[in-house]
Amino acid sequence: MNPFNQQLIQSPQFSKAEAENLVESFYGFRPTLKPLGSFQDQNFRAMDENGRFFILKIANSAATWDELDLQNQAMSHLAAKETSFPTPRIIPALNGQQIATVEREGQSHLVRLLTYVPGQLLADLPVLPPESMTEIGRFCGTLTKHLADFTHPFANQRIIQWDFQHALQVIQAFLPYVADPEDRQLIQHFVGQFEAAAAPLLPQLRKSIVHGDITSYNLLYSRDETGQPHITGLVDFGDTVHSYTIAELAVPIVEAILKNSRQPLADAARVVEGFHQIYPLTEPELAVLYHFLGIRMCVVVTSEAQQLSLDPGNQYVQELVAQDKAILRQLRSIHPGLAQAAFRQACGLPPNPCYTAVSAWLSQSVNSKQWSVISEVGTTVLDLSVGSDVWQNGNWETVDGVKQAITAGGIGRFNEARLPYTRPNQPDEPATIHLGIDIFAKAGTAVFAPFPGTVVYTNPYAVILQHTPAPDLTFYTRYAGVETAVSLHTPVAGGQQIATITGTGTLPPHLHFQIACDWWSEADLPGLVTASQRPIWLSNSPDPNLILGIPALQPAPHTPWQTWVERRFRTLPRSQEFYYQEPMQIVRGWRQYLYDANGRAYLDMINNVAHIGHSHPRIVEAARRQMALLNTNSRFLYDSMIVYAERLAVLMPEPLKVVFFVCTGSEANDLALRLARAYTRQHDVMVIDGEYHGNTTAVDEINTSLLDNPAAKVPRPHVHPVTQPNVFRGRYGANDPQAGLKYAQEVKETLDRLQENGRSIAAFFTEALLGASGGVDLPAHYLKTVYGYVRQAGGVCISDEVQVGFGRIGTHFWAFESQGVVPDIVTMGKPIGNGHPLSAVITTPDIAEAFRRKTTYFNTFGGNPVSCEVGMAVLDVIEQEQLQNNALHVGSYLKNSIQALMPKHALIGAVHGLGLYLGVELVRDHHTKQPATQEAARIAERMKEKGIIVYPTGDYYNILKIKPPIVFTQDNADFFVQMLDQILSEIDK
Ligand code: PMP
């Protein structure tokens, strides 16, 4: 009889009262009991008189003292190694024994009381963030390290179904219970692979006593104050046994990580990385790990089949079977060689150990042989990288565009990140890194084997040859974009024609030629891989030019972002910060997307400067044309400055008529201050708390936003901040119809107080939608009332439209219009030149005249002919493409969609803003409004991984600011909301 072919064991059936008596007599307290589930035993949660929890475990009658003692000693060993290691502790009975014995209905049961480990089951966590995977690895590594020197006489004698040492036997015994022949075949595939690749290495594997059952049902987690889950416990030592040490890593990968994983290999590698940090893995362990994962899943699936045979109606097991088979199929799709390389890389080892030998043979032999794969190779090296000039105006997005961009007879580079293989609005990384060399040539051109080999793979567009030039040296060459001229499994001679170039695919006719040390696939090898898999695949893919020997050809240059960060720190000021912990290297902008050097497309949701879309052809052309014609300063008379000023003035209400051109938003605000001061002959300025207006000395003094200046709240005698009229956070809420008037009243009181002290203000300076504060919209009547008070007190009203102007808010062209006011001075910047450094100040003739009486005004760059042409092109495009209308419709759609997430995700406290200037304010508590600062930072980082750029803003950095180019679409909004929903689910409490 097979030792694993167990029947269902009857759990003990103690009544609550019996169990209570048992606790009282053995442990000396009267407990409050709550029954807990168990497959074969009977467990209770016991609470003592002081409210402390314990676990009462009554073993089934078949359990032996030895096996329980093994568990107890393992737990005690861990506690001795690390007092706070979060596993249960054993509570001795009153008589000092760790295991008590009770009799019931003629059967004897072993009883233990354990401490209670708080936490939630990891299985209940909907999504595991990537950091948690490394943390699980470290946890298992620590456990393994602690148990490494643990011994117990019984550990070697135990025979259990879940021990990897018996895995093949278990599978063999239970395989007949698997009904579906396809499933059986899948299992046999893993068994075959295990026998061939892992079994020979088994003698080299380390052994130790392992917990052996680190699953998501035995791992416990708790969340920190930011919602981040952390492993805080491990329970159930029931499978403790002396076995392969690597089991302690293999079990959690399949049983806690691969369920719900979208990127199983990357996720598994994270666990390996964490484990290796604490308990370094050996090369044989890394070589067998993939096979251990497979074989464990086979044990699980066959055991479930056996269980179902005993209990066919068990729906719970049926569901498990479906889930576990899916994991098995997912594993099957990963090639063991690739997995091994990924695991080796996670441990800092060269991913493919064969690389050196293959490339050494190729480089030594290249001089002695005349190798060629195609008779005529062109000499033009093409640049198809993200930043290449061949890519213009989105031509990489269409097949025709791409075909037209590529010169005939060119050569495409190895290790190049290629733009045409990328698509925006995709949460997954695109496969853009080119592992071959492309030789563009006419369809029908013959392709030859460079040296002898065997045809090991063909499909309608590719051939793979295997070469074994020396007894222990094998590698592969791959030819794609071709039609095969040879049959599978046949030998080919060097110089023999093996294929002809066809014209199918994204690019014009070409041969894609690639070398592989190992054939990491059961079918075709990929010609392109993702940037994060680049190091692994490069270790398998020597430069094909080792065979081609094209003199002018170098691999595409690739400088990792870390190098750029280092260089940036060396020469640029550290005070000039940059986005993200691991910043992407941005190379290209197009419409509402940014592309990094790897070709990843990011939905740009923060660039309100690129208002009408990045690299808009109209702007590019306007700047190019005028730059070639004339650029000079405004002391000369030229038309464009006048025509442009007229066009801007027309967009303003009366009496705003006089236009000053400057270069930045800060400069505009600086000039606005000078105008106000000249006109009123006063110096003081009133601002709204939390706002930012720029970086000149004078403007910096009026900033009250902590974002760019930690000293922004330090009082300055001539600056008078008033409370932000924020109906989410402030004293008067959204449900108070008088809120605007009440906040305005505070302005009045401040003005009165100033007057009493003999002071007046030159200006009241604000945005009409509070940008730096996260798009906070002002309550009704606020600005109108405030403007009245300010003017009464002799001040002028300045509206800073640098962030929010030019149609962004949708309902109006200027944000101040939404408050029904006419300012005395309006400043504008950012979107005005769509990225070109241009800005403007528009004021009344009276104020301009007061300024003239004091000074003349000259600005070298402000209003130069190039800037004016650019500015006019921006106005044209906003109008012709009806972008204000787009901002209105897409903006309200987006705002509504985010608001619709609020019932599901308590972290969203409010959605501020108008049109396409929005702010998602994140709070830990709706009542206290405690800002969710760390959560916001984490969401921004996770969004980046999904291909979306949003960033926290506000004094507490807890508001995700949303201010994309206003060509933003409804599809973009859907993509953003879907990703936000997904990411928030990771940190929902
Ligand atoms: N005003 C506001 C409201 C701003 O947000 C900024 C920049 N963030 C500025 C003025 C300053 O503009 P610039 O950086 O072009 O000098």
Side-chain angles (χ1 to χ4, degrees), residues 682-935:
Q682 296 295 330
H683 191 73
D684 290 11
V685 182
M686 183 176 272
V687 290
I688 289 183
D689 183 39
E691 279 287 87
Y692 176 83
H693 295 289
N695 60 22
T696 70
T697 306
V699 177
D700 183 50
E701 284 173 358
I702 68 164
N703 288 338
T704 46
S705 154
L706 292 176
L707 272 179
D708 293 281
N709 182 0
K713 305 287 185 200
V714 176
R716 283 139 288 188
H718 66 285
V719 182
H720 310 289
V722 290
T723 308
Q724 187 174 108
N726 181 329
V727 293
F728 175 66
R729 233 167 228 292
R731 196 150 23 123
Y732 312 112
N735 52 4
D736 181 348
Q738 303 289 308
L741 298 176
K742 288 179 180 167
Y743 284 114
Q745 183 57 28
E746 192 186 315
V747 173
K748 168 104 177 77
E749 284 159 16
T750 310
L751 287 168
D752 289 348
R753 236 183 357 262
L754 284 174
Q755 208 167 22
E756 280 161 26
N757 295 331
R759 301 187 81 123
S760 304
I761 58 165
F764 174 80
F765 215 122
T766 186
E767 295 175 279
L769 176 73
L770 308 181
S773 305
V776 170
D777 25 336
L778 303 176
H781 314 301
Y782 176 74
L783 219 46
K784 206 163 193 169
T785 319
V786 168
Y787 274 23
Y789 294 146
V790 168
R791 285 172 175 147
Q792 238 170 28
V796 300
C797 301
I798 303 175
S799 187
D800 178 341
E801 294 277 337
V802 169
Q803 294 256 26
V804 293
F806 291 90
R808 174 166 293 277
I809 68 159
T811 48
H812 301 84
F813 199 81
W814 305 111
F816 66 74
E817 293 172 301
S818 68
Q819 283 277 311
V821 294
V822 177
D824 305 299
I825 304 173
V826 179
T827 63
M828 51 197 76
K830 295 185 192 270
I832 188 175
N834 209 53
H836 181 87
L838 161 65
S839 58
V841 182
I842 304 187
T843 188
T844 65
D846 287 352
I847 294 177
E849 182 54 22
F851 186 65
R852 189 197 63 82
R853 280 199 297 271
K854 239 183 130 190
T855 180
T856 61
Y857 173 73
F858 172 65
N859 192 315
T860 302
F861 296 119
N864 70 66
V866 172
S867 298
C868 291
E869 290 298 335
V870 166
M872 283 191 280
V874 170
L875 293 180
D876 289 345
V877 172
I878 295 174
E879 197 184 313
Q880 286 159 13
E881 297 184 12
Q882 300 181 11
L883 295 181
Q884 181 181 331
N885 194 36
N886 189 62
L888 177 66
H889 292 291
V890 177
S892 62
Y893 176 79
L894 176 59
K895 188 171 185 177
N896 289 339
S897 311
I898 303 171
Q899 278 169 336
L901 293 180
M902 291 177 74
K904 191 169 161 196
H905 301 295
L907 206 62
I908 307 179
V911 188
H912 305 295
L914 303 168
L916 279 172
Y917 202 113
L918 303 177
V920 183
E921 176 146 10
L922 304 173
V923 291
R924 289 190 191 158
D925 181 312
H926 279 239
H927 186 64
T928 64
K929 309 219 161 74
Q930 186 192 7
T933 306
Q934 285 95 333
E935 291 87 334

